Amino acid sequence: PGRRVVTAAMSAEAAPGVEPAEAEPGAAAGPGQQQAVLLAEMVEDAAVWCALHGLVVGDRADPRSGTVPGVGLVHAPFSLLPSRFPTSFWKQACELAPIFNELVDRVSLDGEFLQAALSRTKQVDEFTARLLEIHEKMMAINKKEAIRLGLHRSDYMLDSETNSLLQIELNTISSSFPGLGSLVSELHRTLLNQYGKVLGLDSKRIPRNWAATQFAEALGKAWAEYNNDSAVVLMVVQPEERNMYDQYWLANHLKESYGVTTIRKTLAQVEAEGQVLTDGTLVIDGRTVAVVYFRAGYAPTDYPSEAEWKARLLMEQSSAVKCPSISYHLVGTKKIQQELAKPNVLERFLDSKEDIAKLRKSFAGLWSLDNEEIVKSAIEKPDLFVLKPQREGGGNNIYGHDVRDTLIKLQKEQGESLAAYILMQRIFPKASLTPLVRGGDCFEDLTISELGIYGAYLRNKDKVILNNQCGYLMRTKVSSSNEGGVAAGFAVLDSVLLT
Ligand code: ADP
Ligand code: MG
Ligand code: MG
């Protein structure tokens, strides 16, 4: 943890980027002290704003905060000020969103490609194998998804070595924080409207962020395409979810703007209460489901028994719109990211040479572990690589010395163990000093940021109804931490200050 600089109770020590005040005891407050007081005021204003506007998560300290709404709330961790980001890279990232949306859709149509690309992973990764099994079953019955809904988030870091915007990953399932992310931009705008003059920061430099309403719009339009006024949206959730307010924001917009009801069920509840009628209609607890929106189901821990797998298969077999379908889910795996980065693969799926060039420019080095040369390099210089298994949700990747140790261990094992992982070029963003607020306390630390750009895609047969960039999520983490998840406790929510 970084240096504790100030709490909401105004026990100021120093302001960000300012040397501690050298004032003599009893002397008048110096500029350092003044700034510390200002900072304390801002922290308090910000924390109050969060409470009044629903920028909240469940508090770990309260055991009921993940299951009972309205109990044990705490403000989401946030950075006190938006992070600087060059306008040119911002535009580049936004422009990529509709292209990635289209790419996901195209790749998802090529079942043979997905099966072949993941065939070796399947032998050593039980979780991926189970997903592929469902996918295979859908291929066998020639299942067609007429209405296709994607709610993605493509994440990027600015690499200081090459001065380029490079993609970390593309999330096609359970892309989180559209709700709270939009609010952080509003929080920062409000703070800069009040304090921007003193700080020399202009609130107009924070891009508007409509991620929550735009995701709700996509869900609402998918619901409308399904064309059954009494049908609901099913949000598939984990039994315990401290990030539930991010999800409730979407449900709230869906209700207010489209009159659509959202029901929340765990995979186990779907198994117990769900059925698919002979015409393909998905019925849960007596209600017809138009859209299944997954905020669970991306990790092995979401499937503690066969019941959860049965539920996933049941929903996939139905005619409900799935966000994501099993094929969209698979397109978002790290193995597919690596396969798409190989020469001449994008060309199989996209027609526009210009679009292909734009995507490729954002690809970092990605390698499969059957490349002996690269494994050798990674053992020699592990700090230049990240070793990634086929997992989501943060906290799964391998860095530094562990890359070497793991690779040596995997090499010694017989069989296909290496196929469970991919290697990625490590990206090195420039670090800067940032005040971070967690649990009402402000800490200053050296941080790096990751920009996520949301994308929504909706198609019914040949008619593309939506293909948009919709808002963003900046996440900022202490630079000494390898991982970046907010829910996983590594990062804080942030927004963008264009430079
Ligand atoms: P997950 O699906 O679990 O979020 P990611 O690929 O996004 O997996 O990796 C998790 C975190 O690890 C990222 O948010 C980022 O902070 C860090 N990370 C991932 N890939 C790289 C990379 N190539 N270079 C530097 N950091 C990385
Ligand atoms: Mg991910
Ligand atoms: Mg990630």
Side-chain angles (χ1 to χ4, degrees):
R3 192 158 53 110
R4 178 167 170 154
V5 286
V6 64
T7 69
M10 294 182 71
S11 60
E13 234 175 64
V18 173
E19 291 300 308
E22 284 168 32
E24 297 288 319
Q33 234 167 334
Q34 274 172 21
Q35 202 160 350
V37 170
L38 178 79
L39 194 74
E41 231 177 85
M42 284 180 70
V43 171
E44 188 173 336
D45 281 3
V48 169
W49 194 97
C50 290
L52 297 184
H53 294 83
L55 179 38
V56 292
V57 294
D59 186 353
R60 271 171 215 277
D62 188 324
R64 295 202 301 156
S65 66
T67 47
V68 188
V71 169
L73 285 67
V74 62
H75 74 78
F78 61 89
S79 110
L80 190 60
L81 295 168
S83 289
R84 294 167 184 278
F85 202 85
T87 306
S88 58
F89 289 129
W90 163 258
K91 284 190 177 150
Q92 189 190 341
C94 291
E95 249 185 60
L96 290 172
I99 313 176
F100 274 117
N101 289 344
E102 192 187 339
L103 178 68
V104 170
D105 190 62
R106 293 287 180 90
V107 176
S108 77
L109 293 168
D110 194 340
E112 311 283 345
F113 170 80
L114 289 172
Q115 287 285 339
L118 290 160
S119 63
R120 292 185 56 227
T121 313
K122 182 176 157 181
Q123 294 175 35
V124 281
D125 187 322
E126 175 62 15
F127 179 64
T128 309
R130 294 301 300 262
L131 296 175
L132 280 169
E133 199 182 294
I134 295 174
H135 181 252
E136 216 172 347
K137 282 185 179 148
M138 295 308 108
M139 281 177 78
I141 59 169
N142 199 20
K143 181 96 165 54
K144 294 275 181 278
E145 301 294 332
I147 309 171
R148 312 163 69 80
L149 173 63
L151 294 174
H152 312 311
R153 197 189 68 224
S154 180
D155 294 332
Y156 305 91
M157 279 181 176
L158 286 183
D159 186 39
S160 57
E161 317 263 296
T162 54
N163 192 33
S164 56
L165 176 95
L166 296 178
Q167 186 185 48
I168 295 286
E169 63 154 347
L170 176 64
N171 295 289
T172 58
I173 182 166
S174 201
S175 303
S176 62
F177 293 114
L180 300 191
S182 329
L183 287 173
V184 178
S185 305
E186 283 310 301
L187 165 67
H188 283 157
R189 192 185 321 282
T190 307
L191 286 174
L192 290 199
N193 281 340
Q194 186 169 352
Y195 299 98
K197 261 221 168 90
V198 203
L199 298 167
L201 302 172
D202 182 358
S203 70
K204 289 192 197 69
R205 296 200 152 277
I206 303 172
R208 289 278 172 188
N209 193 351
W210 306 118
T213 45
Q214 287 185 287
F215 264 25
E217 180 192 10
L219 286 161
K221 287 198 162 155
W223 175 87
E225 289 300 313
Y226 189 83
N227 201 17
N228 177 340
D229 282 347
S230 61
V232 298
V233 168
L234 166 66
M235 196 182 298
V236 179
V237 296
Q238 294 177 339
E240 264 199 84
E241 177 61 89
R242 282 197 308 274
N243 195 25
M244 65 170 90
Y245 305 100
D246 181 53
Q247 304 170 348
Y248 279 117
W249 271 113
L250 294 186
N252 179 69
H253 290 313
L254 254 174
K255 187 82 198 170
E256 283 192 342
S257 302
Y258 304 92
V260 177
T261 298
T262 303
I263 59 170
R264 293 166 66 87
K265 297 284 176 190
T266 63
L267 284 166
Q269 287 171 325
V270 170
E271 200 269 334
E273 302 167 18
Q275 54 170 321
V276 174
L277 308 184
T278 44
D279 68 349
T281 307
L282 177 64
V283 179
I284 310 275
D285 200 12
R287 311 176 85 158
T288 296
V289 174
V291 181
V292 184
Y293 173 50
F294 286 91
R295 290 297 294 262
Y298 54 82
T301 46
D302 290 336
Y303 302 84
S305 74
E306 280 307 303
E308 288 79 11
W309 285 113
K310 268 194 204 156
R312 182 75 191 260
L313 177 64
L314 183 85
M315 291 183 283
E316 198 63 36
Q317 286 166 329
S318 79
S319 62
V321 183
K322 272 101 22 202
C323 180
S325 63
I326 192 75
S327 51
Y328 269 40
H329 184 171
L330 290 171
V331 177
T333 58
K334 298 188 168 65
K335 179 63 191 169
I336 296 299
Q337 179 187 9
Q338 176 257 309
E339 285 290 321
L340 291 171
K342 281 183 176 171
N344 300 318
V345 178
L346 286 179
E347 282 79 356
R348 283 176 59 174
F349 301 106
L350 296 176
D351 306 319
S352 161
K353 288 216 160 51
E354 220 176 299
D355 286 353
I356 291 171
K358 282 179 188 167
L359 293 185
R360 199 159 272 146
K361 200 174 157 194
S362 75
F363 289 172
L366 287 154
W367 303 274
S368 142
L369 274 68
D370 50 15
N371 181 333
E372 280 174 32
E373 273 301 295
I374 219 71
V375 174
K376 196 165 152 257
S377 308
I379 289 173
E380 278 164 17
K381 294 184 173 157
D383 289 334
L384 300 184
F385 297 86
V386 180
L387 186 58
K388 297 190 175 187
Q390 308 305 307
R391 290 291 175 270
E392 293 298 327
N396 300 299
N397 299 335
I398 298 168
Y399 304 85
H401 276 308
D402 296 339
V403 170
R404 174 184 293 153
D405 297 349
T406 309
L407 287 175
I408 291 172
K409 192 190 90 193
L410 291 172
Q411 276 183 331
K412 282 191 192 135
E413 283 171 21
Q414 299 293 315
E416 296 269 17
S417 335
L418 287 165
Y421 297 85
I422 61 155
L423 267 170
M424 185 171 182
Q425 163 197 352
R426 180 147 188 182
I427 299 163
F428 294 99
K430 218 173 101 195
S432 62
L433 267 182
T434 313
L436 310 173
V437 187
R438 217 181 254 285
D441 292 328
C442 186
F443 298 86
E444 188 187 50
D445 223 318
L446 262 184
T447 62
I448 55 177
S449 297
E450 180 172 350
L451 174 69
I453 301 285
Y454 294 104
Y457 185 88
L458 176 65
R459 175 157 79 83
N460 189 350
K461 303 210 177 82
D462 289 337
K463 191 174 72 182
V464 177
I465 297 156
L466 280 177
N467 184 7
N468 291 338
Q469 180 248 321
C470 23
Y472 60 96
L473 171 74
M474 191 71 143
R475 285 174 303 168
T476 292
K477 64 170 185 179
V478 174
S479 60
S480 56
S481 155
N482 291 319
E483 286 284 329
V486 174
F490 302 110
V492 302
L493 300 174
D494 197 352
S495 70
V496 168
L497 188 81
L498 292 177
T499 60

